[in-house]
Short mmCIF file of all heavy atoms in Angstrom, two decimals:
data_model
loop_
_atom_site.label_atom_id
_atom_site.label_comp_id
_atom_site.label_asym_id
_atom_site.label_seq_id
_atom_site.Cartn_x
_atom_site.Cartn_y
_atom_site.Cartn_z
N ARG L 774 -16.54 4.99 -54.84
CA ARG L 774 -17.86 4.64 -54.31
C ARG L 774 -17.77 3.95 -52.94
O ARG L 774 -18.73 3.38 -52.47
CB ARG L 774 -18.61 3.77 -55.32
CG ARG L 774 -19.03 4.57 -56.54
CD ARG L 774 -19.84 3.75 -57.52
NE ARG L 774 -19.01 2.78 -58.22
CZ ARG L 774 -19.34 1.51 -58.40
NH1 ARG L 774 -20.47 1.03 -57.88
NH2 ARG L 774 -18.54 0.69 -59.06
N ILE L 775 -16.59 4.04 -52.34
CA ILE L 775 -16.42 3.58 -50.97
C ILE L 775 -16.50 4.81 -50.05
O ILE L 775 -15.76 5.77 -50.23
CB ILE L 775 -15.05 2.88 -50.77
CG1 ILE L 775 -14.98 1.60 -51.60
CG2 ILE L 775 -14.81 2.58 -49.30
CD1 ILE L 775 -15.91 0.50 -51.13
N ILE L 776 -17.40 4.77 -49.08
CA ILE L 776 -17.56 5.87 -48.13
C ILE L 776 -17.01 5.39 -46.78
O ILE L 776 -17.63 4.59 -46.10
CB ILE L 776 -19.04 6.27 -47.97
CG1 ILE L 776 -19.64 6.61 -49.34
CG2 ILE L 776 -19.18 7.44 -47.01
CD1 ILE L 776 -21.13 6.85 -49.30
N PRO L 777 -15.82 5.84 -46.42
CA PRO L 777 -15.22 5.33 -45.19
C PRO L 777 -15.82 5.97 -43.94
O PRO L 777 -16.18 7.14 -43.93
CB PRO L 777 -13.74 5.73 -45.33
CG PRO L 777 -13.75 6.91 -46.21
CD PRO L 777 -14.92 6.75 -47.15
N GLN L 778 -15.94 5.17 -42.89
CA GLN L 778 -16.33 5.68 -41.59
C GLN L 778 -15.10 5.75 -40.69
O GLN L 778 -14.27 4.84 -40.69
CB GLN L 778 -17.36 4.76 -40.92
CG GLN L 778 -18.72 4.76 -41.57
CD GLN L 778 -19.76 4.07 -40.70
OE1 GLN L 778 -20.33 4.69 -39.81
NE2 GLN L 778 -19.99 2.80 -40.95
N ILE L 779 -14.99 6.84 -39.94
CA ILE L 779 -13.93 6.94 -38.93
C ILE L 779 -14.59 7.05 -37.57
O ILE L 779 -15.71 7.56 -37.44
CB ILE L 779 -13.00 8.14 -39.18
CG1 ILE L 779 -13.77 9.46 -39.06
CG2 ILE L 779 -12.32 8.03 -40.54
CD1 ILE L 779 -12.88 10.68 -39.01
N ARG L 780 -13.91 6.57 -36.55
CA ARG L 780 -14.43 6.64 -35.18
C ARG L 780 -13.61 7.55 -34.29
O ARG L 780 -14.00 7.84 -33.18
CB ARG L 780 -14.48 5.23 -34.58
CG ARG L 780 -15.64 4.40 -35.12
CD ARG L 780 -15.63 2.99 -34.52
NE ARG L 780 -16.89 2.31 -34.73
CZ ARG L 780 -17.27 1.74 -35.87
NH1 ARG L 780 -16.45 1.81 -36.91
NH2 ARG L 780 -18.43 1.14 -35.99
N TYR L 781 -12.43 7.97 -34.78
CA TYR L 781 -11.55 8.83 -34.00
C TYR L 781 -11.08 9.98 -34.87
O TYR L 781 -10.82 9.81 -36.06
CB TYR L 781 -10.34 8.03 -33.49
CG TYR L 781 -10.73 6.79 -32.73
CD1 TYR L 781 -10.68 5.54 -33.35
CD2 TYR L 781 -11.16 6.86 -31.42
CE1 TYR L 781 -11.06 4.39 -32.66
CE2 TYR L 781 -11.53 5.72 -30.72
CZ TYR L 781 -11.49 4.49 -31.35
OH TYR L 781 -11.86 3.37 -30.67
N THR L 782 -10.96 11.16 -34.29
CA THR L 782 -10.55 12.34 -35.05
C THR L 782 -9.19 12.14 -35.70
O THR L 782 -8.94 12.65 -36.78
CB THR L 782 -10.51 13.58 -34.14
OG1 THR L 782 -9.63 13.32 -33.02
CG2 THR L 782 -11.90 13.90 -33.59
N GLY L 783 -8.32 11.38 -35.04
CA GLY L 783 -6.98 11.16 -35.59
C GLY L 783 -6.96 10.35 -36.86
O GLY L 783 -5.94 10.30 -37.55
N GLU L 784 -8.08 9.70 -37.20
CA GLU L 784 -8.12 8.91 -38.43
C GLU L 784 -8.45 9.77 -39.65
O GLU L 784 -8.25 9.34 -40.79
CB GLU L 784 -9.18 7.81 -38.32
CG GLU L 784 -8.84 6.70 -37.34
CD GLU L 784 -9.92 5.63 -37.28
OE1 GLU L 784 -11.10 5.94 -37.56
OE2 GLU L 784 -9.60 4.49 -36.96
N TYR L 785 -8.97 10.97 -39.41
CA TYR L 785 -9.49 11.77 -40.53
C TYR L 785 -8.41 12.08 -41.56
O TYR L 785 -8.58 11.80 -42.75
CB TYR L 785 -10.11 13.08 -40.02
CG TYR L 785 -10.63 13.93 -41.15
CD1 TYR L 785 -11.89 13.71 -41.69
CD2 TYR L 785 -9.85 14.94 -41.70
CE1 TYR L 785 -12.36 14.47 -42.75
CE2 TYR L 785 -10.31 15.71 -42.76
CZ TYR L 785 -11.56 15.47 -43.28
OH TYR L 785 -12.02 16.21 -44.32
N TYR L 786 -7.33 12.67 -41.10
CA TYR L 786 -6.30 13.11 -42.06
C TYR L 786 -5.70 11.94 -42.84
O TYR L 786 -5.59 12.00 -44.07
CB TYR L 786 -5.21 13.91 -41.35
CG TYR L 786 -4.13 14.36 -42.29
CD1 TYR L 786 -4.30 15.50 -43.06
CD2 TYR L 786 -2.95 13.63 -42.45
CE1 TYR L 786 -3.33 15.91 -43.96
CE2 TYR L 786 -1.99 14.02 -43.34
CZ TYR L 786 -2.18 15.16 -44.09
OH TYR L 786 -1.22 15.56 -44.98
N PRO L 787 -5.32 10.83 -42.18
CA PRO L 787 -4.76 9.71 -42.95
C PRO L 787 -5.74 9.14 -43.98
O PRO L 787 -5.34 8.71 -45.05
CB PRO L 787 -4.43 8.66 -41.87
CG PRO L 787 -4.23 9.46 -40.63
CD PRO L 787 -5.20 10.59 -40.73
N VAL L 788 -7.04 9.16 -43.65
CA VAL L 788 -8.04 8.65 -44.60
C VAL L 788 -8.22 9.64 -45.74
O VAL L 788 -8.26 9.26 -46.92
CB VAL L 788 -9.38 8.38 -43.88
CG1 VAL L 788 -10.47 8.05 -44.89
CG2 VAL L 788 -9.22 7.24 -42.88
N LEU L 789 -8.33 10.91 -45.41
CA LEU L 789 -8.47 11.94 -46.44
C LEU L 789 -7.27 11.93 -47.37
O LEU L 789 -7.40 12.09 -48.59
CB LEU L 789 -8.61 13.31 -45.79
CG LEU L 789 -8.71 14.51 -46.74
CD1 LEU L 789 -9.97 14.42 -47.59
CD2 LEU L 789 -8.66 15.82 -45.98
N ALA L 790 -6.10 11.73 -46.81
CA ALA L 790 -4.87 11.74 -47.60
C ALA L 790 -4.83 10.62 -48.62
O ALA L 790 -4.06 10.68 -49.58
CB ALA L 790 -3.65 11.66 -46.69
N GLN L 791 -5.65 9.60 -48.44
CA GLN L 791 -5.71 8.50 -49.39
C GLN L 791 -6.73 8.76 -50.49
O GLN L 791 -7.05 7.87 -51.28
CB GLN L 791 -6.05 7.19 -48.65
CG GLN L 791 -4.94 6.77 -47.72
CD GLN L 791 -5.31 5.52 -46.96
OE1 GLN L 791 -5.71 4.53 -47.55
NE2 GLN L 791 -5.18 5.57 -45.65
N LYS L 792 -7.23 10.00 -50.54
CA LYS L 792 -8.10 10.46 -51.62
C LYS L 792 -9.49 9.82 -51.60
O LYS L 792 -10.10 9.62 -52.64
CB LYS L 792 -7.42 10.24 -52.98
CG LYS L 792 -7.90 11.22 -54.05
CD LYS L 792 -7.20 10.96 -55.37
CE LYS L 792 -7.74 11.90 -56.45
NZ LYS L 792 -7.12 11.64 -57.76
N TYR L 793 -9.98 9.51 -50.41
CA TYR L 793 -11.38 9.13 -50.30
C TYR L 793 -12.21 10.40 -50.33
O TYR L 793 -11.93 11.36 -49.61
CB TYR L 793 -11.62 8.34 -49.01
CG TYR L 793 -11.19 6.90 -49.13
CD1 TYR L 793 -9.93 6.49 -48.69
CD2 TYR L 793 -12.03 5.95 -49.70
CE1 TYR L 793 -9.52 5.17 -48.80
CE2 TYR L 793 -11.62 4.62 -49.82
CZ TYR L 793 -10.38 4.24 -49.38
OH TYR L 793 -9.99 2.93 -49.51
N ARG L 794 -13.24 10.39 -51.16
CA ARG L 794 -13.95 11.64 -51.45
C ARG L 794 -14.94 12.03 -50.36
O ARG L 794 -15.25 13.19 -50.17
CB ARG L 794 -14.69 11.51 -52.79
CG ARG L 794 -13.76 11.33 -53.97
CD ARG L 794 -14.55 11.10 -55.24
NE ARG L 794 -15.54 12.12 -55.47
CZ ARG L 794 -16.71 11.93 -56.07
NH1 ARG L 794 -17.02 10.72 -56.48
NH2 ARG L 794 -17.53 12.91 -56.26
N ASN L 795 -15.49 11.07 -49.66
CA ASN L 795 -16.49 11.36 -48.64
C ASN L 795 -16.18 10.55 -47.39
O ASN L 795 -15.86 9.37 -47.47
CB ASN L 795 -17.90 11.00 -49.13
CG ASN L 795 -18.30 11.81 -50.35
OD1 ASN L 795 -18.68 12.96 -50.25
ND2 ASN L 795 -18.17 11.20 -51.53
N ILE L 796 -16.27 11.20 -46.24
CA ILE L 796 -15.93 10.55 -44.98
C ILE L 796 -17.07 10.75 -43.99
O ILE L 796 -17.60 11.85 -43.85
CB ILE L 796 -14.61 11.11 -44.41
CG1 ILE L 796 -13.45 10.82 -45.37
CG2 ILE L 796 -14.31 10.52 -43.03
CD1 ILE L 796 -12.15 11.46 -44.97
N ILE L 797 -17.42 9.67 -43.30
CA ILE L 797 -18.46 9.72 -42.27
C ILE L 797 -17.81 9.60 -40.90
O ILE L 797 -16.94 8.76 -40.69
CB ILE L 797 -19.49 8.59 -42.47
CG1 ILE L 797 -20.32 8.85 -43.74
CG2 ILE L 797 -20.42 8.47 -41.26
CD1 ILE L 797 -21.33 7.75 -44.04
N PHE L 798 -18.22 10.46 -39.98
CA PHE L 798 -17.74 10.41 -38.59
C PHE L 798 -18.76 9.62 -37.79
O PHE L 798 -19.90 10.05 -37.60
CB PHE L 798 -17.61 11.83 -38.04
CG PHE L 798 -16.82 11.93 -36.77
CD1 PHE L 798 -16.21 10.83 -36.20
CD2 PHE L 798 -16.68 13.16 -36.13
CE1 PHE L 798 -15.47 10.93 -35.03
CE2 PHE L 798 -15.95 13.28 -34.96
CZ PHE L 798 -15.35 12.17 -34.40
N ASN L 799 -18.37 8.43 -37.33
CA ASN L 799 -19.27 7.55 -36.58
C ASN L 799 -19.06 7.75 -35.09
O ASN L 799 -17.98 7.54 -34.56
CB ASN L 799 -18.98 6.09 -36.97
CG ASN L 799 -20.01 5.13 -36.43
OD1 ASN L 799 -20.43 5.23 -35.29
ND2 ASN L 799 -20.44 4.19 -37.27
N LEU L 800 -20.13 8.16 -34.39
CA LEU L 800 -20.04 8.48 -32.97
C LEU L 800 -20.50 7.34 -32.07
O LEU L 800 -20.82 7.56 -30.90
CB LEU L 800 -20.88 9.73 -32.67
CG LEU L 800 -20.57 10.97 -33.51
CD1 LEU L 800 -21.47 12.13 -33.09
CD2 LEU L 800 -19.11 11.38 -33.35
N SER L 801 -20.52 6.15 -32.59
CA SER L 801 -21.09 5.03 -31.84
C SER L 801 -20.31 4.73 -30.56
O SER L 801 -20.86 4.16 -29.62
CB SER L 801 -21.15 3.78 -32.72
OG SER L 801 -19.85 3.42 -33.16
N LEU L 802 -19.03 5.09 -30.50
CA LEU L 802 -18.26 4.82 -29.30
C LEU L 802 -18.47 5.88 -28.23
O LEU L 802 -18.05 5.71 -27.09
CB LEU L 802 -16.76 4.72 -29.64
CG LEU L 802 -16.37 3.55 -30.54
CD1 LEU L 802 -14.87 3.54 -30.75
CD2 LEU L 802 -16.83 2.23 -29.96
N GLY L 803 -19.07 7.01 -28.58
CA GLY L 803 -19.45 8.01 -27.59
C GLY L 803 -18.30 8.69 -26.88
O GLY L 803 -18.41 9.05 -25.72
N LYS L 804 -17.15 8.87 -27.56
CA LYS L 804 -15.98 9.42 -26.90
C LYS L 804 -15.89 10.95 -26.99
O LYS L 804 -15.02 11.55 -26.38
CB LYS L 804 -14.71 8.82 -27.52
CG LYS L 804 -14.52 7.33 -27.22
CD LYS L 804 -14.26 7.11 -25.74
CE LYS L 804 -13.97 5.64 -25.48
NZ LYS L 804 -13.74 5.38 -24.05
N TYR L 805 -16.77 11.56 -27.76
CA TYR L 805 -16.64 13.00 -27.99
C TYR L 805 -17.90 13.73 -27.57
O TYR L 805 -19.02 13.27 -27.81
CB TYR L 805 -16.34 13.28 -29.47
CG TYR L 805 -15.06 12.65 -29.95
CD1 TYR L 805 -15.06 11.41 -30.59
CD2 TYR L 805 -13.84 13.28 -29.73
CE1 TYR L 805 -13.88 10.82 -31.01
CE2 TYR L 805 -12.66 12.69 -30.16
CZ TYR L 805 -12.67 11.47 -30.79
OH TYR L 805 -11.51 10.89 -31.20
N SER L 806 -17.72 14.91 -26.98
CA SER L 806 -18.86 15.75 -26.64
C SER L 806 -19.37 16.44 -27.89
O SER L 806 -18.67 16.50 -28.92
CB SER L 806 -18.44 16.80 -25.60
OG SER L 806 -17.50 17.71 -26.18
N ASP L 807 -20.58 17.01 -27.82
CA ASP L 807 -21.14 17.73 -28.96
C ASP L 807 -20.21 18.86 -29.39
O ASP L 807 -19.99 19.08 -30.59
CB ASP L 807 -22.52 18.31 -28.60
CG ASP L 807 -23.57 17.23 -28.41
OD1 ASP L 807 -23.23 16.04 -28.56
OD2 ASP L 807 -24.73 17.57 -28.11
N GLU L 808 -19.66 19.57 -28.41
CA GLU L 808 -18.81 20.72 -28.72
C GLU L 808 -17.54 20.29 -29.45
O GLU L 808 -17.10 20.94 -30.40
CB GLU L 808 -18.43 21.47 -27.42
CG GLU L 808 -19.58 22.22 -26.76
CD GLU L 808 -20.57 21.28 -26.08
OE1 GLU L 808 -20.19 20.11 -25.78
OE2 GLU L 808 -21.73 21.69 -25.87
N GLU L 809 -16.97 19.17 -29.02
CA GLU L 809 -15.76 18.67 -29.69
C GLU L 809 -16.06 18.28 -31.12
O GLU L 809 -15.26 18.54 -32.02
CB GLU L 809 -15.19 17.48 -28.92
CG GLU L 809 -14.55 17.85 -27.60
CD GLU L 809 -14.04 16.63 -26.86
OE1 GLU L 809 -14.87 15.84 -26.39
OE2 GLU L 809 -12.81 16.47 -26.76
N VAL L 810 -17.20 17.63 -31.34
CA VAL L 810 -17.56 17.21 -32.70
C VAL L 810 -17.78 18.43 -33.58
O VAL L 810 -17.29 18.49 -34.72
CB VAL L 810 -18.83 16.32 -32.68
CG1 VAL L 810 -19.27 16.00 -34.10
CG2 VAL L 810 -18.56 15.04 -31.91
#
Side-chain angles (χ1 to χ4, degrees):
R774 290 183 288 134
I775 296 291
I776 305 173
Q778 290 192 85
I779 64 168
R780 284 178 165 78
Y781 306 100
T782 56
E784 290 181 333
Y785 179 83
Y786 179 82
V788 172
L789 177 63
Q791 293 178 51
K792 207 179 177 182
Y793 281 95
R794 296 175 53 212
N795 299 281
I796 297 174
I797 291 178
F798 194 3
N799 190 316
L800 306 180
S801 60
L802 295 182
K804 292 293 184 181
Y805 300 95
S806 66
D807 291 359
E808 290 73 20
E809 288 178 291
V810 175

